[in-house]
Structures are given as structure tokens and as C-alpha cells.
Amino acid sequence: MSVRPIAALDHEALNRLHRQVGWPERSPAGWRWLEANPARLAMGAPAGWVVADENDKAVAMLGNFIQRFRHGAQDHFGATGFSIIVPPSQKGASRPLIRTFLKQPGLFARYTFNANARSAPLYGLFDMKPWPVQTHGLKLSWITDRLACVQGRGLRLLLGRTSAETAARLGERLLNGRVFRQTLLSLPAGVIMLCDLSDVSPYADFWRQLSQEERLLADRSPEILRWRLADPDLTLPPVMLAYVRDSRIVGMAMAQITKTSLIEPPYLDIVDLIALETEPEAIGLLTQALIDNARALGAAKVRLQMVTSRLLAQLGDLAKTARREGGWGHCHAIIDDPALAAAWAPTPFDGDYGICWRTPPVPKALARDPREVNAMGGRAAKA
């Protein structure tokens, strides 16, 4: 099998692969945005790899998401593999793709935090270990619309392991009108909407202080967040909250309204949840604020799909009220430096969640007037 880096001419074929498995496709601008990842450009790394047939057409793929990390005064780079798509006709193609991904030079870690139950056993064949040790199989969720969750579960049971084509014929289900409504958030004292991501903003000051702590952190600089929010395929902007004490930001949360598939209700997925080490109570306050507003935003539940022992402790009683989901090792990693592994307590931000989630499709009435969709960025008032 011929493995080569992804090229611009592959985008149509990559979308066809995504369509075959019911995963979200990208627009041409969306693929260009993903390839413009500042960390990838700094590394000079491929955007991913494909298995090509005799006509050089992509018939299987693996995406390569590079992130910059800060540990004290030093920078490191890590890579997460995403969108590993190997059709039955290309059986065995996952092996050369994963080997190519793992052989990348200049990285402190190669990992995936988003493996599904069927693919998870594959990673052990390549010496990728379940990690973090205590929480690699754990996901948390808080139900905010029980009826919608029951309806989604019923559709899944009714259709079973239906093909993506069958689901497409069924059409979009369980999308409610609250999702694209301009909803004012009800926020507790100290929690505000995070709107200013300029290089001279209070958030920039927060990142500078956060990055000086002696732990390994994925780059959350204003530059990187501005790039993330510029994804042209996002139909809704993320909900971004900050916890303020003594006029300075000491914690932040980012969450995205998603719709995992045609037959799932919308969820509010937490992309990031982090605070200064001196302000651990910010984690619970920010999470509770997201839970309290999720139903009004149209979400059936709030999900936190990547947790660590540190994060569980910071959540406190909220972790005890959450549903324990997962149950398989969805996180696997090869980390070359044990000291960096010990200093790393990742959130979903460190994985591919923020770039792979499917956001709800824009209703046709709104799609006719893109100004209405763009206005959704201001749908929540500042506290």
C-alpha cells in the first residue's frame, strides 16, 4: 500500500471517506483552515496521510493534528491522530497509516483521546498505552433534557448499526428550535462571557500566568484561540466563559453545541476547562454554569469526554452527580519523557474534539440570510 501526505487535491476524496462513515465533511475553506494550523506550520508536519490507489486517489486516511505545548520556559510539540477512516475494501490500511503517524520526529507524544469502542483495541498493537492510567476509559455527562435523551436512545436501538446512507435517508432528527435562538445566559457572580481574545486582553494576561505554572499545557494563547474560532465550518460559535476574581481572569471554560449524528439530540460538549492552580474552585463554578444554561441552549446533556484525576478532584461534588460513560480505553498515548507525562493533565482541548465535532446544521430559514447566523456570536450577554 502506498502511503503519502495529504495534498490539497485529496479534499474531495477525504470528504467522500467521511461521508461513507457518517462523519462531518469539510468545506474547501474548512480544509484550508485546518491546514493553516499555526503549530503544524511551525513543525512543517503533514496535515495527515492517505493510502493511495494505483491512480493516486485517496482510499483511506489518517489526520494529523499538531499542538504546541508549554512546560515552564520550554516549548514542546505533540500530535493527535484523528479521522482514521479505512473502508472494508482497504482492510489492513490502518497499520501503515498509524505507523507513519507514530514515526514523526520532533514530538514528545503521539496520542489519541477519541477512540471509539471498536477501534480502541487497535492501538495496543502499536505500543500505545491506555493513558491517563486512572481515567482513560471515563467520560462524564450531566443530563439536562431527559426526554430528548430517551428519544435519541430509542432511535439508536431502532436503527441499530445502520449504515451512514440509511441514516442520511432518514434525515436530521431531534434538532430543536432553541439551538439557533439568541439566548441570554444566566451566569453566577464572578462568571462572565469571554469575548476579548486580543493580545492585550485580560485573557492574554490569564494565559501568560497560566503558562508560567510548572505543568505541561497545550497552547491556549489568544493567537491559537482566534485560529480555533475562525473555523469556517462552525455553524455556532462556542460558549466561552471566564471566572473573574479581583478583576482578573483565573479560570476559563469553552463548550460547543454539537450534534454527533443525524439521530442524536444536540449536546453541549466541553472543549476546555482550566484554572490557575491557586483557583481550583473555578472549575466547578464554570461547569455548573454550563449545566445550568445547557437546556436553554438546546442541549440534551453536557458532556466532558476527557477527564483526569486532577480534574475529577477539582469538580468535587459535581463529578459525583455525573453519569459515568465510556467504559473502554478511548485514550492511548506514547509519551517519550516520563517527567512530561507526570506534568500533563489534559482536557479535551488537548485532543481532536474541537476540530472533529459535528455542529448542528443551519436551518434553511437562517441559511437564506447568513447575517442571522453570524449574529449568533453575540447571543449571550456579558455578566
Side-chain angles (χ1 to χ4, degrees):
M1 293 182 176
S2 173
V3 176
R4 61 166 175 78
I6 289 174
L9 293 177
D10 293 322
H11 294 166
E12 183 178 346
L14 302 186
N15 275 341
R16 183 167 56 251
L17 289 169
H18 281 73
R19 191 160 53 246
Q20 289 172 3
V21 295
W23 291 357
E25 302 173 44
R26 283 204 167 274
S27 66
W31 284 111
R32 291 193 296 271
W33 167 83
L34 189 58
E35 291 170 350
N37 171 9
R40 185 190 78 83
L41 296 177
M43 278 284 295
W49 297 269
V50 298
V51 169
D53 64 11
E54 62 276 8
N55 298 314
D56 200 36
K57 185 178 76 172
V59 292
M61 70 163 292
L62 183 154
N64 187 40
F65 182 40
I66 301 291
Q67 291 206 71
R68 189 195 309 269
F69 288 77
R70 176 67 60 82
H71 185 231
Q74 292 188 317
D75 285 345
H76 303 271
F77 288 88
T80 182
F82 71 95
S83 293
I84 303 176
I85 306 176
V86 179
S89 61
Q90 304 300 318
K91 185 177 180 181
S94 60
R95 288 170 171 76
L97 286 169
I98 294 175
R99 289 192 189 100
T100 302
F101 166 75
L102 294 177
K103 287 192 299 184
Q104 292 183 87
L107 302 172
F108 84 93
R110 284 80 68 206
Y111 57 95
T112 179
F113 290 163
N114 197 13
N116 58 45
R118 296 181 65 185
S119 66
L122 176 66
Y123 297 101
L125 302 176
F126 300 92
D127 293 327
M128 298 181 74
K129 307 298 184 185
W131 186 87
V133 175
Q134 296 86 358
T135 57
H136 61 84
L138 180 62
K139 299 171 183 277
L140 303 181
S141 72
W142 296 266
I143 292 177
T144 56
D145 187 340
R146 193 168 299 277
L147 177 59
C149 288
V150 170
Q151 290 172 328
R153 191 179 308 118
L155 277 174
R156 291 196 304 272
L157 291 173
L158 179 65
L159 295 176
R161 288 187 176 180
T162 184
S163 68
E165 291 81 3
T166 301
R169 286 195 297 270
L170 181 66
E172 197 75 52
R173 301 288 173 170
L174 301 179
L175 185 61
N176 62 75
R178 301 189 303 277
V179 170
F180 283 91
R181 186 185 301 160
Q182 295 191 33
T183 301
L184 296 178
L185 301 189
S186 176
L187 301 176
V191 178
I192 65 169
M193 293 294 299
L194 179 56
C195 302
D196 185 358
L197 296 175
S198 68
D199 292 335
V200 293
S201 62
Y203 175 78
D205 292 337
F206 167 68
W207 166 244
R208 278 191 288 272
Q209 188 170 357
L210 190 70
S211 62
Q212 290 170 7
E213 295 182 346
E214 285 300 318
R215 48 176 164 160
L216 183 69
L217 293 166
D219 186 353
R220 292 166 169 84
S221 64
E223 175 198 9
I224 288 296
L225 290 195
R226 291 195 299 265
W227 171 74
R228 288 238 188 176
L229 269 61
D231 182 351
D233 291 330
L234 284 179
T235 58
L236 286 167
V239 177
M240 300 189 68
L241 303 180
Y243 180 58
V244 177
R245 185 192 292 277
D246 298 331
S247 301
R248 63 190 183 97
I249 294 175
V250 298
M252 68 88 69
M254 178 164 56
Q256 182 72 53
I257 291 287
T258 65
K259 197 168 184 302
T260 306
S261 71
L262 294 167
I263 60 172
E264 297 275 359
Y267 300 132
L268 183 61
D269 277 303
I270 297 175
V271 183
D272 200 12
L273 186 59
I274 196 162
L276 299 177
E277 289 187 322
T278 56
E279 304 286 345
E281 70 281 359
I283 298 296
L285 288 167
L286 290 165
T287 305
Q288 188 65 63
L290 292 172
I291 294 170
D292 291 344
N293 286 278
R295 183 180 174 89
L297 294 171
K301 61 181 174 180
V302 176
R303 301 192 299 186
L304 180 55
Q305 302 215 50
M306 171 76 208
V307 296
T308 62
S309 298
R310 177 202 294 263
L311 197 53
L312 287 174
Q314 291 173 328
L315 285 169
D317 290 341
L318 266 180
K320 299 175 185 176
T321 65
R323 290 167 55 88
R324 301 295 174 110
E325 299 187 356
W328 63 90
H330 58 275
C331 303
H332 295 78
I334 293 177
I335 307 172
D336 295 333
D337 187 337
L340 292 180
W344 190 16
T347 77
F349 188 87
D350 300 46
D352 66 346
Y353 299 99
I355 65 166
C356 288
W357 272 324
R358 177 180 185 263
T359 51
V362 178
K364 293 181 179 178
L366 289 179
R368 286 194 292 269
D369 187 353
R371 291 172 299 176
E372 295 186 52
V373 178
N374 293 337
M376 302 308 292
R379 64 180 180 161
K382 295 181 182 179

